[in-house]
Amino acid sequence: MKSCLIVDDSKVIRMVAKKILNELGFRTEEAEDGIVALDRCIKQMPDAVLLDWNMPNMNGLEFLHELRKLPDGDRPIVVFCTTENDIDHIQEAITAGANEYIMKPFDSEILQAKFSQVGLL
Amino acid sequence: MLRPEDFDFLAKLLKERSGLVITPDKAYLLESRLTPLARARNLKGIEDIVAKMRGHDEALARDVTEAMTTNESFFFRDTKPFDQFKDIVLPQVMAARMAKKSIRIWSAACSSGQEAYSLAMLLKEQSAKLNGWHVEIVGTDISVEMLDKAKAGLYSQFEVQRGLPIQMLVKYFKKKDESWQIDAGLRAMVQFREWNLLKDLRGLGQFDIVFCRNVLIYFDQPTKAGVLENISKLMPADAFLYLGGAETVLGISERFKPMAGQRGIYCLNKDGAATPSFPLKAPN
Ligand SMILES: C[S@@+](CC[C@H](N)C(=O)[O-])C[C@H]1O[C@@H](n2cnc3c(N)ncnc32)[C@H](O)[C@@H]1O
């Protein structure tokens, strides 16, 4: 069973994502900001990260930069999931090492499509 | 409730105009899709629509046909066919057309254009190899509304997130208000035309690669056979046909045979008997 870390400061979004990902066969963990997420990754590297952009303490982009510096930090497949939906933001995320990018609002169909595109399904 | 005589009238009309088969157990589809149309035209309901069409109303008959077709499509639908296109079909066709350096591709029943544009993007990615080649993509559909959308190349945020890799979105699309528009360069690679698959197809010319996916599924056996027969006449002996994931030629047409080891792709069967020709009825 693959693992996915859900990083979002909204509890509701984490809940929705968790439900969809569980149905897709993922074991999930949650983090409410980049710092907590980084901590989780240091303890155990997930197979995938579903990552919000705007969060307190450490945002998604900063988290991604830090993650990729960790030993084994290039392993997780990172899928941004954010309301930022302009080309500049998307480009910045890709440059930082994101594998895919979901623009909110999302549903199970989009999540499934994106996860299978990057080979997670 | 839909009256049996109205159901029969609609079923016959749809079958003749587009090939769509509606069985009585799908009568609810008529209600759910035609009721909004009746409302938009200030008609009381399906009964009124049928009454008007009995008195011959071409525009209304068209709208009814369009309202009943399923137009769902997505970029790089099913993924695999497009990998096969890039890795197997295109190289083979290029090798066979070295002298002419010209390839024609047809997205038959292209809906809002995602299939045609997916191919255009793949070809664009291969520009270096295709330098000096003339590649034409033709997209056809019966639905004028879908063709207009295809020509505009404008897609919702939802549509660009189903199957389109994010790198392709960044590379080939621009944001336009809340929608995404495919580059003018790619739009110029595809020609969209209104064409009914039940009609004489010969005016479209010859094609080296034909995508006819997720449309035959709505037709009955004789219609499927007839359309496949007519498509085969537009294909040179070494051309390729793609069908959708739930479609096959097996037991339907002997004009095609599956390509060995490649699911969903068919080649012409040189020894295949022509399916007896049949009347494909559709208004001009
Ligand atoms: C489900 S879509 C398939 C789109 C695309 N080929 C794909 O696989 O994603 C089916 C399309 O077939 C078109 N169609 C149905 N009957 C047709 C006919 N007789 N001639 C041409 N197009 C037809 C519909 O308008 C619709 O856009």
Side-chain angles (χ1 to χ4, degrees), chain B residues 181-217:
Chain B
Q181 185 168 40
I182 195 156
D183 274 359
L186 278 137
R187 269 181 282 149
M189 288 171 71
V190 188
Q191 203 193 318
F192 289 105
R193 302 174 70 175
E194 183 189 349
W195 211 287
N196 189 334
L197 285 173
L198 306 192
K199 277 198 342 193
D200 192 338
L201 301 175
R202 283 169 300 184
L204 288 166
Q206 294 283 110
F207 293 100
D208 305 295
I209 307 169
V210 178
F211 282 75
C212 183
R213 304 196 308 148
N214 305 303
V215 62
L216 293 183
I217 198 167

Side-chain angles (χ1 to χ4, degrees), chain B residues 9 11 15 25 32 38 51 60 65 68 75 79 84 90 98 147 166-168 174 196 213 216 219 222 226 247 279 284:
Chain B
F9 179 88
K15 167 90 194 306
D25 60 311
S32 65
L60 183 58
T65 311
M68 289 311 301
F75 290 101
T79 322
Q84 293 165 318
L90 185 63
M98 255 330 175
L147 288 167
I166 197 68
Q167 291 81 359
M168 294 269 199
K174 280 195 185 66
N196 189 334
R213 304 196 308 148
L216 293 183
F219 302 166
E247 294 159 338
N284 290 320

Side-chain angles (χ1 to χ4, degrees), chain B residues 64-83:
Chain B
V64 166
T65 311
E66 288 208 13
M68 289 311 301
T69 52
T70 301
N71 303 116
E72 190 179 56
S73 189
F74 11 103
F75 290 101
F76 297 100
R77 184 171 196 166
D78 302 335
T79 322
K80 183 103 188 283
F82 296 91
D83 293 340

Side-chain angles (χ1 to χ4, degrees), chain B residues 88-146:
Chain B
I88 297 158
V89 173
L90 185 63
Q92 278 201 29
V93 172
M94 282 177 75
R97 299 285 178 274
M98 255 330 175
K100 245 185 16 177
K101 284 203 161 27
S102 153
I103 299 175
R104 293 190 82 225
I105 305 171
W106 180 23
S107 171
C110 64
S111 189
S112 34
Q114 285 92 329
E115 185 174 79
Y117 286 134
S118 300
L119 295 167
M121 284 185 263
L122 287 183
L123 292 169
K124 198 84 181 173
E125 300 274 299
Q126 314 256 325
S127 320
K129 271 197 229 154
L130 286 162
N131 202 355
W133 284 73
H134 177 72
V135 185
E136 211 183 313
I137 306 173
V138 178
T140 62
D141 202 279
I142 195 177
S143 164
V144 176
E145 193 188 335
M146 287 302 126

